[in-house]
């Protein structure tokens, strides 16, 4: 265990990438963890170790390597399960959170007519106005294919869900309520308990996009009460190409598989096949074994530090950043202005300077941010803007990173004479 | 500073005082182009008469590079034949894909040579090309329309 309080400076040392320099020989100030996080040495080593010493196809071989590969892959599944308070057989490895959400939508779309999960005319799917495209388009298209109606919970000008509309929008026609735990643009953390209660009262299935929450604060799926949840590995210090789909045992049993092939079967004839129990039923083909092992190492790293510590450190960074942003003139933060129920993501606009141009100036200072619509085009339209500059923080960021960001924003205003 | 090679004074002037911005009522074709990666948008009207680009007007939202480049492009092509303006566009496309190795021919590109520095920033090249792609699309449509 690392000692309290969290020392972000010490943690930076665990991440090899911070040893490199950026343009103009500036050190890297990485404020784009909402897009993807950097990787600690232990994650990089775990993947290399798998390829150098273990590599074999899981669930197939009769040799020592296959046994060890099985143990490594299933061991990673155990780590993921423990990290979110789940059972190992409820954890499905996917390639990404996007794939997980699409897979759920696809599976529901192919559910047998008349089953609890099947949709048709007269049914509705409910999302929110703050969804990332990955938790909007799969449902929009599922509605289009099945004849169901897509509805959404609007947001307030402060960037919170307008819960007063919940009773009207979630009704007896609602079959699915899919929503994000934390907005990737606004930082808003949604009230899962209220949304789950509304869904349960009408018998709807709940799907939680946990991409921006699992990496940043403690999650217990049982306490959340949702039916399905997805997150990506690469936003949680893990490698790219590995994601997690979690579901209750009962819903995973009900769901149709979405990829057919090797490993996912129980028995096969030329005309028929039956499925292995979850999670195998959803993992056709040789999976991303090294990716899973890398994700296991990443979540182990986070557990060793303690997610409560990660959360409280990010909260202190958010408090400080919001107070510094409030002092700037000509700069508006899009989203809640206090750190209450809010993550360490700060989207902002600068009067007279397009986000691309802000990002370009920041880049000259070695500061990496995201600019544009953040895959949330409807949300941008709601706020009447084309894009924002987004600084997203993680455990390796420091107070001095915030100071550098604020100074660079001021220098952009000077450069563009606004 | 490296930034100055990207944001030359000419570019900032066009950005703050864009030419031919504001859509005219007269047009032979209108197109709407977006840059899906950043959400920048341009709507462009074109008038073509006897093979000559007689007018361009446009509106849109975008960064300094996309706005300045569209403004400069409008200045360049109005009054030229469509064929001549395509030659200018080819020079500009070459400049943009040069990764900083070309300076651009000022006799052909005029103010557009100020955008040469953009080619050193791969993420910004598509910003500089947004208005030009809209022009190309609009000119093709205007010619097709006139041949109907």
């Amino acid at each position: 265990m690392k000692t309290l309080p969290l020392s972000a400076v010490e943690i930076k040392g665990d991440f090899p990438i911070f040893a490199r320099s950026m343009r103009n020989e500036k050190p890297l100030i990485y404020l784009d963890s909402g897009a993807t996080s950097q990787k600690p040495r232990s994650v990089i080593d775990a993947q290399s170790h798998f390829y150098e010493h273990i590599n074999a196809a899981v669930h197939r071989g009769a040799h020592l390597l296959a046994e060890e590969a099985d143990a490594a892959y299933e061991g990673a599944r155990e780590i993921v399960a423990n990290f979110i308070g789940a059972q190992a057989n409820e954890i499905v490895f996917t390639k990404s959170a996007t794939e997980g959400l699409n897979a759920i939508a696809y599976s529901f779309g192919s559910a047998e007519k008349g089953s609890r999960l099947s949709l048709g005319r007269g049914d509705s799917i409910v999302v929110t106005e703050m969804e990332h495209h990955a938790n909007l388009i799969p449902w929009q298209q599922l509605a289009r294919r099945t004849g169901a109606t897509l509805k959404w919970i609007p947001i307030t000008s402060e960037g919170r869900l307008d819960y007063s509309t919940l009773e009207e929008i979630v009704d007896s026609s609602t079959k699915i309520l899919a929503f994000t735990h934390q907005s990737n643009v606004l930082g808003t953390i949604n009230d899962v308990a209220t949304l789950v209660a509304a869904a349960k009262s009408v018998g709807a299935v709940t799907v939680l996009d946990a991409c921006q929450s699992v990496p940043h604060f403690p999650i217990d799926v049982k306490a959340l009460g949702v039916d399905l949840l997805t997150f990506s590995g690469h936003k949680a210090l893990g490698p790219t190409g590995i994601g997690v789909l979690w579901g209750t045992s009962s819903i995973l049993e009900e769901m149709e598989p979405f990829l057919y092939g090797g490993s996912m079967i129980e028995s096969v004839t030329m005309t028929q096949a039956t499925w292995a129990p979850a999670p195998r039923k959803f993992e056709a083909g040789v999976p991303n074994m090294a990716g899973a092992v890398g994700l296991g190492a990443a979540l182990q790293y986070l557990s060793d530090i303690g997610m409560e510590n990660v959360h409280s450190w990010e909260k202190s960074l958010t408090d400080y950043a919001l107070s510094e942003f409030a002092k700037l003139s000509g700069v508006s933060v899009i989203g809640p202005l206090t750190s209450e129920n809010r993550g360490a993501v700060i989207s902002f606009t600068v009067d007279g300077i397009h986000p691309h141009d802000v990002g370009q100036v920041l880049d000259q200072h070695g500061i990496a941010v995201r600019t544009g619509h953040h895959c949330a085009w409807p949300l941008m339209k709601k706020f009447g803007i084309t894009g924002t500059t987004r600084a997203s923080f993680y455990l390796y960021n420091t107070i001095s990173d915030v100071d550098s960001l604020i100074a660079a924003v001021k220098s952009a205003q000077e450069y563009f004479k606004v | 500073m490296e930034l100055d090679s990207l944001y030359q004074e000419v570019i900032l002037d066009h950005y703050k005082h864009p030419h031919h911005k504001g859509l005219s009522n007269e047009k032979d074709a209108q197109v709407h182009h977006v840059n899906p990666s950043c959400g920048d948008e341009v709507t462009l009207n074109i008038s073509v008469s006897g093979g000559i680009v007689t007018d361009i007007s446009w509106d849109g939202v975008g960064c300094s590079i996309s706005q300045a480049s569209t403004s400069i492009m409008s200045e360049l092509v109005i009054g030229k034949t469509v064929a001549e303006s395509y030659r200018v566009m080819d020079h500009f496309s070459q400049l943009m894909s040069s990764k900083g190795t070309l300076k651009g021919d000022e006799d052909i590109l005029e103010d557009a040579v100020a955008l040469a520095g953009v080619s050193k920033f791969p993420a910004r090249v598509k910003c500089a090309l947004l208005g030009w792609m809209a022009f190309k699309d609009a000119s093709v449509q205007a010619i097709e329309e006139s041949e109907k």
Side-chain angles (χ1 to χ4, degrees):
Chain A
M1 284 285 283
K2 299 211 182 249
T3 50
L4 283 170
L6 189 60
S7 165
V9 175
E10 185 189 324
I11 282 171
K12 257 186 189 175
D14 291 341
F15 292 73
I17 203 159
F18 290 111
R20 67 160 287 171
S21 59
M22 300 292 281
R23 290 187 207 279
N24 310 320
E25 299 309 308
K26 302 269 188 184
L28 167 62
I29 297 172
Y30 190 73
L31 303 180
D32 200 15
S33 297
T36 196
S37 65
Q38 295 302 343
K39 319 305 173 198
R41 171 61 68 196
S42 63
V43 168
I44 299 165
D45 287 350
Q47 282 200 286
S48 297
H49 182 267
F50 181 86
Y51 283 126
E52 286 179 14
H53 300 282
I54 301 175
N55 186 49
V58 291
H59 307 143
R60 284 164 176 77
H63 48 80
L64 179 63
L65 292 183
E67 265 177 40
E68 291 185 7
D70 268 6
Y73 184 67
E74 295 305 326
R77 200 190 305 275
E78 288 281 350
I79 293 172
V80 174
N82 288 335
F83 194 76
I84 60 170
Q87 304 295 319
N89 64 2
E90 299 168 336
I91 302 294
V92 178
F93 283 121
T94 60
K95 80 169 194 251
S96 61
T98 297
E99 184 182 67
L101 292 164
N102 275 276
I104 297 167
Y106 178 84
S107 173
F108 280 37
S110 59
E112 260 182 62
K113 277 229 171 321
S115 77
R116 185 173 79 100
L117 302 182
S118 86
L119 289 128
R121 233 164 261 289
D123 293 329
S124 68
I125 303 168
V126 177
V127 296
T128 82
E129 206 173 15
M130 65 168 77
E131 296 310 314
H132 186 283
H133 294 164
N135 199 31
L136 167 63
I137 305 174
W139 306 116
Q140 179 193 81
Q141 296 303 311
L142 178 63
R144 190 183 59 80
R145 285 199 304 276
T146 59
T149 305
L150 183 75
K151 299 182 185 176
W152 52 92
I153 302 161
I155 58 170
T156 65
S157 57
E158 205 214 348
R160 301 272 183 199
L161 288 182
D162 183 355
Y163 294 99
S164 70
T165 65
L166 206 52
E167 210 169 317
E168 182 195 331
I169 293 168
V170 178
D171 61 19
S172 58
S173 74
T174 307
K175 299 291 284 280
I176 300 166
L177 174 57
F179 59 98
T180 186
H181 200 172
Q182 179 187 306
S183 163
N184 67 311
V185 179
L186 308 164
T188 310
I189 296 172
N190 289 322
D191 181 352
V192 178
T194 297
L195 292 159
V196 166
K200 285 216 159 115
S201 72
V202 298
V205 172
T206 43
V207 181
L208 188 68
D209 173 359
C211 272
Q212 302 287 345
S213 59
V214 165
H216 299 283
F217 50 88
I219 294 289
D220 180 339
V221 289
K222 298 288 186 292
L224 289 174
V226 294
D227 296 300
L228 292 153
L229 169 152
T230 63
F231 66 96
S232 54
H234 72 95
K235 287 184 180 22
L237 308 184
T240 51
I242 188 82
V244 172
L245 160 58
W246 168 86
T248 61
S249 300
S250 63
I251 200 154
L252 290 181
E253 195 182 321
E254 280 177 85
M255 280 168 60
E256 284 292 311
F258 34 80
L259 285 174
Y260 303 110
S263 273
M264 53 78 68
I265 51 92
E266 185 186 59
S267 68
V268 182
T269 69
M270 282 311 288
T271 54
Q272 283 176 43
T274 55
W275 318 136
R280 293 275 292 278
K281 157 170 102 164
F282 301 111
E283 292 183 3
V286 175
N288 182 357
M289 303 168 294
V293 168
L295 176 57
L299 300 186
Q300 194 60 57
Y301 180 91
L302 287 170
S303 297
D304 288 347
I305 286 169
M307 289 307 290
E308 280 295 352
N309 294 333
V310 171
H311 178 53
S312 65
W313 176 242
E314 289 186 18
K315 189 166 159 54
S316 57
L317 284 174
T318 309
D319 278 328
Y320 181 67
L322 286 171
S323 70
E324 290 301 299
F325 266 101
K327 293 178 197 162
L328 294 176
S329 61
V331 177
S332 310
V333 170
I334 309 293
L337 298 176
T338 70
S339 68
E340 193 193 346
N341 289 324
R342 188 200 203 290
V345 173
I346 297 183
S347 277
F348 60 97
T349 57
V350 183
D351 293 350
I353 317 180
H354 189 276
H356 253 183
D357 295 319
V358 175
Q360 197 79 53
V361 175
L362 266 45
D363 181 47
Q364 292 295 313
H365 294 269
I367 302 173
V369 292
R370 174 96 185 260
T371 64
H373 55 58
H374 314 294
C375 302
W377 220 327
L379 181 64
M380 296 293 113
K381 292 214 190 303
K382 171 87 174 190
F383 281 99
I385 51 181
T386 53
T388 71
T389 304
R390 181 188 73 179
S392 51
F393 300 87
Y394 209 177
L395 75 169
Y396 37 63
N397 290 121
T398 61
I399 291 291
S400 119
D401 290 347
V402 178
D403 290 335
S404 301
L405 170 67
I406 297 292
V409 171
K410 285 183 189 163
S411 85
Q413 289 176 309
E414 282 161 24
Y415 191 81
F416 285 96
K417 302 184 182 75
V418 293
Chain B
M1 183 159 138
E2 202 182 3
L3 215 50
D4 294 336
S5 73
L6 181 64
Y7 296 117
Q8 296 206 10
E9 211 50 52
V10 176
I11 295 176
L12 296 179
D13 281 350
H14 275 276
Y15 175 46
K16 296 207 162 151
H17 309 286
H19 299 199
H20 307 283
K21 192 169 178 179
L23 293 171
S24 65
N25 295 326
E26 299 286 313
K27 59 178 184 293
D28 294 320
Q30 180 176 77
V31 297
H32 179 72
H33 277 217
V34 297
N35 184 341
S37 65
C38 65
D40 285 2
E41 303 184 30
V42 63
T43 303
L44 185 141
N45 285 355
I46 192 170
S47 298
V48 178
S49 176
I52 292 171
V53 180
T54 54
D55 193 34
I56 297 264
S57 63
W58 60 279
D59 204 353
V61 284
C63 64
S64 59
I65 302 298
S66 75
Q67 300 290 288
S69 188
T70 307
S71 170
I72 292 169
M73 178 277 299
S74 305
E75 283 283 286
L76 267 174
V77 303
I78 292 172
K80 286 195 171 66
T81 65
V82 173
E84 277 171 335
S85 58
Y86 284 2
R87 271 197 296 279
V88 175
M89 189 164 63
D90 286 344
H91 275 272
F92 187 69
S93 299
Q94 264 179 24
L95 181 62
M96 286 301 102
S97 55
S98 73
K99 299 190 170 72
T101 58
L102 298 180
K103 285 183 177 162
D105 186 338
E106 201 169 351
D107 290 337
I108 298 167
L109 292 174
E110 301 177 23
D111 276 2
V113 294
L115 290 155
V118 175
S119 71
K120 284 187 283 187
F121 298 87
R124 304 304 294 275
V125 169
K126 59 188 185 311
C127 309
L129 290 174
L130 180 68
W132 295 73
M133 293 300 124
F135 159 69
K136 187 178 184 183
D137 187 12
S139 63
V140 168
Q141 289 189 26
I143 291 164
E144 276 175 3
E145 199 57 36
S146 71
E147 286 169 355
K148 270 184 187 167

